[in-house]
Amino acid sequence: MVKDFPQVITIDGPAGAGKSTVARELALRLGVFYLDTGAMYRALTLKAIRSGMNLEDASGLVGLARGTRIRLENHNGGAKVLLDGEDVSDAIRSPEVTNKTFYIARTGGVREIMVGWQREIGARQSIVIEGRDVGTVVFPKATHKFYLDADFEERARRRIKELREKGKQIDEDSLKTELKDRDHKDLTRSIGPLKIADDAVVIDTTHMTVNGTVDEILKHIKNKA
Ligand code: C5P
């Protein structure tokens, strides 16, 4: 199904649409590399917070990105994020990082660097890549493009469940407000906004399971092969 040359399968969509779980499972089933681009933006945000940088300083952020090594590794269906050699897989999921990543994501110079790293990874091997702009900007000629969506209430429910399973205390109303705010910022930024690529297959996962969504994606891939 995945041929000899590097093939790219892109999955875009808003937070909570099921991208990460679906992309991870899909990559596992196809035996290809899983690339979480959000993890890259999060990792750089973590570094900027730790170094006490002014997050409004675009050129400072670009300089920070240039001097940073972000490595993503796949391990038995899971993914590890290394920031300058340190495992930050858990640290990048904190609410502070989640709410401050937009500073990094709206900075054009940083996006250029991130996109360069993502293209390099996709040139070496077949990948399932997920994010906001991966089918529109990063790999506009990708072999297969998908856009996952779900009702707002369902996306919020999934986020709450995920965080509670990790033992976090959640205030449902503030989580919903933050999710809405993140949607708005992702949809309206001038560079690399969340958008449906013209040639993407749109899947509404509101009433679908992870395996059901992966099966649906595989059906589309098979039909197009
Ligand atoms: O996918 P995840 O929710 O981990 O992404 C965190 C944030 O990183 C998003 O809200 C978005 O602002 C940013 N992002 C981005 N472009 C991508 C992936 C993520 O701007 N390709």
Side-chain angles (χ1 to χ4, degrees), residues 61-75:
L61 292 177
V62 173
L64 188 76
R66 284 209 186 98
T68 299
R69 276 177 309 115
I70 297 171
R71 194 179 149 74
L72 303 180
E73 293 179 356
N74 284 187
H75 295 278

Side-chain angles (χ1 to χ4, degrees), residues 6-47:
Q7 287 210 42
V8 174
I9 298 163
T10 65
I11 304 184
D12 284 307
K19 296 187 305 295
S20 297
T21 2
V22 165
R24 246 194 327 258
E25 176 62 23
L26 179 67
L28 200 62
R29 287 214 218 162
L30 293 172
V32 305
F33 190 75
Y34 161 61
L35 174 45
D36 173 4
T37 61
M40 289 182 162
Y41 289 91
R42 285 172 177 271
L44 191 66
T45 306
L46 178 67
K47 186 167 174 177

Side-chain angles (χ1 to χ4, degrees), residues 4-5 17-19 29 31 35 50 54 61 116 126 140 153 163 168 183 194 221:
D4 298 340
F5 53 87
K19 296 187 305 295
R29 287 214 218 162
L35 174 45
R50 281 177 173 177
N54 172 7
L61 292 177
S126 292
E153 287 298 326
L163 291 167
K168 303 250 159 64
D183 279 355
L194 172 62
I221 294 177

Side-chain angles (χ1 to χ4, degrees), residues 15 19 36-39 41-42 93 101 105 111 130-134 159 182 186 189:
K19 296 187 305 295
D36 173 4
T37 61
Y41 289 91
R42 285 172 177 271
R93 307 286 162 198
T101 298
R111 296 199 76 87
E130 57 126 332
R132 304 293 188 285
D133 61 342
V134 295
R159 265 293 127 98
R182 200 142 72 93
D186 280 339
R189 78 173 150 254

Side-chain angles (χ1 to χ4, degrees), residues 46 50 79-92:
L46 178 67
R50 281 177 173 177
K80 206 186 235 187
V81 185
L82 300 172
L83 172 65
D84 297 324
E86 178 196 346
D87 184 352
V88 293
S89 312
D90 291 330
I92 61 168

